[in-house]
């Protein structure tokens, strides 16, 4: 029996060692699986962060592009305004034609601005787009319809139109 007892004890120890080894293997597998799961989660997180970063960069690029486009539009607008100002300056620097019939609206406005009594009607003549041909053919009632309400101012303008035309034939 002694041998049997010893054998039994040896077998029990062996069985326990096997069970301990199995437990260790299970723990290793669990730790390994958890590690793999953590790695997968980490990779997914990194991937998601990478996607977010990529999206944010694209968004930044889009915003930068919009800003650049707006700046280009502003530059173009400024260039157009400068061009228009240069054209206006050129128009102003050019003498108006001698003959009233050849006057543009700008020439009519310039002429009105040169007379203190008539300068208040500049806006009306601009809105009405009155040119020299119109001005030569206007009557008292045409001037009134244009916005020259004061009778004395209408007479003054008619006199100045006739005076100009008489001196520039």
């Amino acid at each position: 029996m002694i041998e049997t007892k010893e054998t039994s004890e040896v077998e029990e120890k062996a069985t326990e060692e096997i069970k301990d080894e199995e437990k260790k293997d299970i723990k290793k597998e669990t730790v390994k699986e958890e590690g793999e799961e953590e790695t997968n989660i980490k990779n997914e997180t990194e991937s998601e962060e990478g996607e977010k970063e990529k999206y944010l960069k694209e968004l930044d690029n889009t915003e930068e592009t919009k800003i650049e486009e707006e700046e280009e539009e502003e530059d173009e607008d400024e260039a157009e305004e400068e061009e228009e100002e240069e054209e206006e300056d050129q128009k102003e620097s050019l003498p108006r034609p001698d003959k009233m019939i050849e006057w543009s609206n700008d020439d009519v406005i310039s002429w009105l601005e040169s007379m203190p009594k008539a300068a208040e009607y500049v806006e009306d003549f601009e809105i009405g787009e009155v040119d020299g041909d119109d001005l030569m053919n206007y009557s008292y009632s045409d001037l009134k319809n244009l916005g020259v309400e004061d009778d004395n101012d209408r007479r003054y303008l008619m006199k100045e139109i006739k005076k100009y035309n008489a001196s520039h034939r």
Side-chain angles (χ1 to χ4, degrees), residues 25-43:
D25 287 343
I26 291 171
K27 281 185 179 179
K28 283 181 184 176
E29 274 186 43
T30 304
V31 168
K32 184 179 174 185
E33 287 173 1
E34 286 174 355
E36 287 175 356
E37 193 174 306
E38 286 177 14
T39 302
N40 288 341
I41 291 171
K42 184 178 177 184
N43 288 341

PDB file of all heavy atoms in Angstrom, residues 25-43:
ATOM      1  N   ASP A  25      -1.869  28.533 -18.559  1.00  0.00           N
ATOM      2  CA  ASP A  25      -2.102  28.647 -19.994  1.00  0.00           C
ATOM      3  C   ASP A  25      -3.371  29.453 -20.267  1.00  0.00           C
ATOM      4  O   ASP A  25      -3.406  30.306 -21.168  1.00  0.00           O
ATOM      5  CB  ASP A  25      -2.214  27.261 -20.656  1.00  0.00           C
ATOM      6  CG  ASP A  25      -0.857  26.557 -20.749  1.00  0.00           C
ATOM      7  OD1 ASP A  25       0.176  27.246 -20.604  1.00  0.00           O
ATOM      8  OD2 ASP A  25      -0.841  25.329 -20.972  1.00  0.00           O
ATOM      9  N   ILE A  26      -4.413  29.161 -19.475  1.00  0.00           N
ATOM     10  CA  ILE A  26      -5.682  29.899 -19.645  1.00  0.00           C
ATOM     11  C   ILE A  26      -5.448  31.381 -19.348  1.00  0.00           C
ATOM     12  O   ILE A  26      -5.914  32.248 -20.079  1.00  0.00           O
ATOM     13  CB  ILE A  26      -6.797  29.303 -18.741  1.00  0.00           C
ATOM     14  CG1 ILE A  26      -7.197  27.919 -19.258  1.00  0.00           C
ATOM     15  CG2 ILE A  26      -7.988  30.228 -18.667  1.00  0.00           C
ATOM     16  CD1 ILE A  26      -8.119  27.152 -18.331  1.00  0.00           C
ATOM     17  N   LYS A  27      -4.702  31.675 -18.249  1.00  0.00           N
ATOM     18  CA  LYS A  27      -4.408  33.068 -17.916  1.00  0.00           C
ATOM     19  C   LYS A  27      -3.604  33.724 -19.032  1.00  0.00           C
ATOM     20  O   LYS A  27      -3.862  34.861 -19.409  1.00  0.00           O
ATOM     21  CB  LYS A  27      -3.623  33.156 -16.597  1.00  0.00           C
ATOM     22  CG  LYS A  27      -4.487  33.022 -15.374  1.00  0.00           C
ATOM     23  CD  LYS A  27      -3.664  33.239 -14.124  1.00  0.00           C
ATOM     24  CE  LYS A  27      -4.529  33.131 -12.894  1.00  0.00           C
ATOM     25  NZ  LYS A  27      -3.758  33.309 -11.660  1.00  0.00           N
ATOM     26  N   LYS A  28      -2.610  33.002 -19.544  1.00  0.00           N
ATOM     27  CA  LYS A  28      -1.795  33.545 -20.635  1.00  0.00           C
ATOM     28  C   LYS A  28      -2.666  33.855 -21.846  1.00  0.00           C
ATOM     29  O   LYS A  28      -2.533  34.891 -22.475  1.00  0.00           O
ATOM     30  CB  LYS A  28      -0.689  32.565 -21.030  1.00  0.00           C
ATOM     31  CG  LYS A  28       0.475  32.543 -20.083  1.00  0.00           C
ATOM     32  CD  LYS A  28       1.533  31.558 -20.570  1.00  0.00           C
ATOM     33  CE  LYS A  28       2.677  31.439 -19.583  1.00  0.00           C
ATOM     34  NZ  LYS A  28       3.652  30.427 -20.010  1.00  0.00           N
ATOM     35  N   GLU A  29      -3.570  32.897 -22.166  1.00  0.00           N
ATOM     36  CA  GLU A  29      -4.456  33.101 -23.299  1.00  0.00           C
ATOM     37  C   GLU A  29      -5.368  34.291 -23.058  1.00  0.00           C
ATOM     38  O   GLU A  29      -5.586  35.119 -23.948  1.00  0.00           O
ATOM     39  CB  GLU A  29      -5.304  31.847 -23.563  1.00  0.00           C
ATOM     40  CG  GLU A  29      -4.620  30.832 -24.429  1.00  0.00           C
ATOM     41  CD  GLU A  29      -5.545  29.685 -24.790  1.00  0.00           C
ATOM     42  OE1 GLU A  29      -6.727  29.947 -25.117  1.00  0.00           O
ATOM     43  OE2 GLU A  29      -5.077  28.549 -24.747  1.00  0.00           O
ATOM     44  N   THR A  30      -5.897  34.389 -21.844  1.00  0.00           N
ATOM     45  CA  THR A  30      -6.783  35.499 -21.510  1.00  0.00           C
ATOM     46  C   THR A  30      -6.018  36.826 -21.613  1.00  0.00           C
ATOM     47  O   THR A  30      -6.505  37.789 -22.207  1.00  0.00           O
ATOM     48  CB  THR A  30      -7.358  35.327 -20.080  1.00  0.00           C
ATOM     49  OG1 THR A  30      -8.013  34.069 -19.992  1.00  0.00           O
ATOM     50  CG2 THR A  30      -8.316  36.445 -19.722  1.00  0.00           C
ATOM     51  N   VAL A  31      -4.834  36.851 -21.035  1.00  0.00           N
ATOM     52  CA  VAL A  31      -4.007  38.063 -21.097  1.00  0.00           C
ATOM     53  C   VAL A  31      -3.670  38.385 -22.551  1.00  0.00           C
ATOM     54  O   VAL A  31      -3.733  39.530 -22.986  1.00  0.00           O
ATOM     55  CB  VAL A  31      -2.725  37.887 -20.251  1.00  0.00           C
ATOM     56  CG1 VAL A  31      -1.728  38.998 -20.524  1.00  0.00           C
ATOM     57  CG2 VAL A  31      -3.068  37.826 -18.776  1.00  0.00           C
ATOM     58  N   LYS A  32      -3.336  37.330 -23.302  1.00  0.00           N
ATOM     59  CA  LYS A  32      -3.008  37.515 -24.716  1.00  0.00           C
ATOM     60  C   LYS A  32      -4.218  38.076 -25.474  1.00  0.00           C
ATOM     61  O   LYS A  32      -4.099  39.027 -26.235  1.00  0.00           O
ATOM     62  CB  LYS A  32      -2.565  36.199 -25.329  1.00  0.00           C
ATOM     63  CG  LYS A  32      -2.118  36.310 -26.756  1.00  0.00           C
ATOM     64  CD  LYS A  32      -1.679  34.963 -27.288  1.00  0.00           C
ATOM     65  CE  LYS A  32      -1.360  35.035 -28.773  1.00  0.00           C
ATOM     66  NZ  LYS A  32      -1.040  33.739 -29.328  1.00  0.00           N
ATOM     67  N   GLU A  33      -5.398  37.484 -25.227  1.00  0.00           N
ATOM     68  CA  GLU A  33      -6.617  37.956 -25.894  1.00  0.00           C
ATOM     69  C   GLU A  33      -6.933  39.385 -25.493  1.00  0.00           C
ATOM     70  O   GLU A  33      -7.303  40.212 -26.323  1.00  0.00           O
ATOM     71  CB  GLU A  33      -7.798  37.034 -25.558  1.00  0.00           C
ATOM     72  CG  GLU A  33      -7.735  35.694 -26.255  1.00  0.00           C
ATOM     73  CD  GLU A  33      -8.826  34.733 -25.785  1.00  0.00           C
ATOM     74  OE1 GLU A  33      -9.642  35.125 -24.918  1.00  0.00           O
ATOM     75  OE2 GLU A  33      -8.840  33.598 -26.267  1.00  0.00           O
ATOM     76  N   GLU A  34      -6.789  39.655 -24.169  1.00  0.00           N
ATOM     77  CA  GLU A  34      -7.039  41.018 -23.704  1.00  0.00           C
ATOM     78  C   GLU A  34      -6.048  41.985 -24.345  1.00  0.00           C
ATOM     79  O   GLU A  34      -6.404  43.092 -24.752  1.00  0.00           O
ATOM     80  CB  GLU A  34      -6.942  41.090 -22.179  1.00  0.00           C
ATOM     81  CG  GLU A  34      -8.121  40.466 -21.468  1.00  0.00           C
ATOM     82  CD  GLU A  34      -7.954  40.420 -19.948  1.00  0.00           C
ATOM     83  OE1 GLU A  34      -6.858  40.790 -19.441  1.00  0.00           O
ATOM     84  OE2 GLU A  34      -8.905  40.016 -19.264  1.00  0.00           O
ATOM     85  N   GLY A  35      -4.796  41.561 -24.441  1.00  0.00           N
ATOM     86  CA  GLY A  35      -3.767  42.387 -25.083  1.00  0.00           C
ATOM     87  C   GLY A  35      -4.109  42.631 -26.540  1.00  0.00           C
ATOM     88  O   GLY A  35      -3.968  43.752 -27.044  1.00  0.00           O
ATOM     89  N   GLU A  36      -4.555  41.569 -27.219  1.00  0.00           N
ATOM     90  CA  GLU A  36      -4.941  41.718 -28.625  1.00  0.00           C
ATOM     91  C   GLU A  36      -6.147  42.646 -28.742  1.00  0.00           C
ATOM     92  O   GLU A  36      -6.208  43.492 -29.633  1.00  0.00           O
ATOM     93  CB  GLU A  36      -5.264  40.353 -29.248  1.00  0.00           C
ATOM     94  CG  GLU A  36      -4.045  39.495 -29.502  1.00  0.00           C
ATOM     95  CD  GLU A  36      -4.392  38.096 -30.008  1.00  0.00           C
ATOM     96  OE1 GLU A  36      -5.599  37.772 -30.091  1.00  0.00           O
ATOM     97  OE2 GLU A  36      -3.466  37.343 -30.305  1.00  0.00           O
ATOM     98  N   GLU A  37      -7.084  42.488 -27.815  1.00  0.00           N
ATOM     99  CA  GLU A  37      -8.275  43.337 -27.831  1.00  0.00           C
ATOM    100  C   GLU A  37      -7.887  44.790 -27.588  1.00  0.00           C
ATOM    101  O   GLU A  37      -8.349  45.697 -28.271  1.00  0.00           O
ATOM    102  CB  GLU A  37      -9.264  42.867 -26.752  1.00  0.00           C
ATOM    103  CG  GLU A  37     -10.642  43.472 -26.890  1.00  0.00           C
ATOM    104  CD  GLU A  37     -11.617  42.860 -25.903  1.00  0.00           C
ATOM    105  OE1 GLU A  37     -11.758  41.623 -25.881  1.00  0.00           O
ATOM    106  OE2 GLU A  37     -12.230  43.653 -25.168  1.00  0.00           O
ATOM    107  N   GLU A  38      -6.990  44.996 -26.611  1.00  0.00           N
ATOM    108  CA  GLU A  38      -6.514  46.352 -26.344  1.00  0.00           C
ATOM    109  C   GLU A  38      -5.781  46.915 -27.563  1.00  0.00           C
ATOM    110  O   GLU A  38      -5.952  48.076 -27.925  1.00  0.00           O
ATOM    111  CB  GLU A  38      -5.588  46.371 -25.122  1.00  0.00           C
ATOM    112  CG  GLU A  38      -6.322  46.224 -23.813  1.00  0.00           C
ATOM    113  CD  GLU A  38      -5.369  46.175 -22.622  1.00  0.00           C
ATOM    114  OE1 GLU A  38      -4.169  46.514 -22.772  1.00  0.00           O
ATOM    115  OE2 GLU A  38      -5.828  45.807 -21.538  1.00  0.00           O
ATOM    116  N   THR A  39      -4.990  46.075 -28.194  1.00  0.00           N
ATOM    117  CA  THR A  39      -4.276  46.504 -29.403  1.00  0.00           C
ATOM    118  C   THR A  39      -5.265  46.864 -30.500  1.00  0.00           C
ATOM    119  O   THR A  39      -5.108  47.886 -31.173  1.00  0.00           O
ATOM    120  CB  THR A  39      -3.322  45.383 -29.895  1.00  0.00           C
ATOM    121  OG1 THR A  39      -2.406  45.062 -28.845  1.00  0.00           O
ATOM    122  CG2 THR A  39      -2.562  45.825 -31.128  1.00  0.00           C
ATOM    123  N   ASN A  40      -6.282  46.016 -30.660  1.00  0.00           N
ATOM    124  CA  ASN A  40      -7.310  46.303 -31.679  1.00  0.00           C
ATOM    125  C   ASN A  40      -8.023  47.613 -31.367  1.00  0.00           C
ATOM    126  O   ASN A  40      -8.243  48.431 -32.251  1.00  0.00           O
ATOM    127  CB  ASN A  40      -8.321  45.157 -31.770  1.00  0.00           C
ATOM    128  CG  ASN A  40      -7.748  43.923 -32.424  1.00  0.00           C
ATOM    129  OD1 ASN A  40      -6.739  44.000 -33.113  1.00  0.00           O
ATOM    130  ND2 ASN A  40      -8.381  42.783 -32.203  1.00  0.00           N
ATOM    131  N   ILE A  41      -8.385  47.771 -30.095  1.00  0.00           N
ATOM    132  CA  ILE A  41      -9.056  49.015 -29.684  1.00  0.00           C
ATOM    133  C   ILE A  41      -8.128  50.199 -29.926  1.00  0.00           C
ATOM    134  O   ILE A  41      -8.545  51.235 -30.459  1.00  0.00           O
ATOM    135  CB  ILE A  41      -9.501  48.943 -28.205  1.00  0.00           C
ATOM    136  CG1 ILE A  41     -10.643  47.928 -28.057  1.00  0.00           C
ATOM    137  CG2 ILE A  41      -9.915  50.323 -27.695  1.00  0.00           C
ATOM    138  CD1 ILE A  41     -11.008  47.618 -26.624  1.00  0.00           C
ATOM    139  N   LYS A  42      -6.864  50.023 -29.547  1.00  0.00           N
ATOM    140  CA  LYS A  42      -5.888  51.089 -29.742  1.00  0.00           C
ATOM    141  C   LYS A  42      -5.740  51.407 -31.225  1.00  0.00           C
ATOM    142  O   LYS A  42      -5.747  52.571 -31.627  1.00  0.00           O
ATOM    143  CB  LYS A  42      -4.540  50.666 -29.151  1.00  0.00           C
ATOM    144  CG  LYS A  42      -3.494  51.740 -29.210  1.00  0.00           C
ATOM    145  CD  LYS A  42      -2.202  51.261 -28.568  1.00  0.00           C
ATOM    146  CE  LYS A  42      -1.109  52.315 -28.681  1.00  0.00           C
ATOM    147  NZ  LYS A  42       0.159  51.841 -28.150  1.00  0.00           N
ATOM    148  N   ASN A  43      -5.648  50.366 -32.044  1.00  0.00           N
ATOM    149  CA  ASN A  43      -5.525  50.567 -33.495  1.00  0.00           C
ATOM    150  C   ASN A  43      -6.768  51.257 -34.056  1.00  0.00           C
ATOM    151  O   ASN A  43      -6.663  52.151 -34.900  1.00  0.00           O
ATOM    152  CB  ASN A  43      -5.287  49.237 -34.218  1.00  0.00           C
ATOM    153  CG  ASN A  43      -3.894  48.686 -33.979  1.00  0.00           C
ATOM    154  OD1 ASN A  43      -2.996  49.426 -33.579  1.00  0.00           O
ATOM    155  ND2 ASN A  43      -3.718  47.406 -34.214  1.00  0.00           N
TER     156      ASN A  43
END
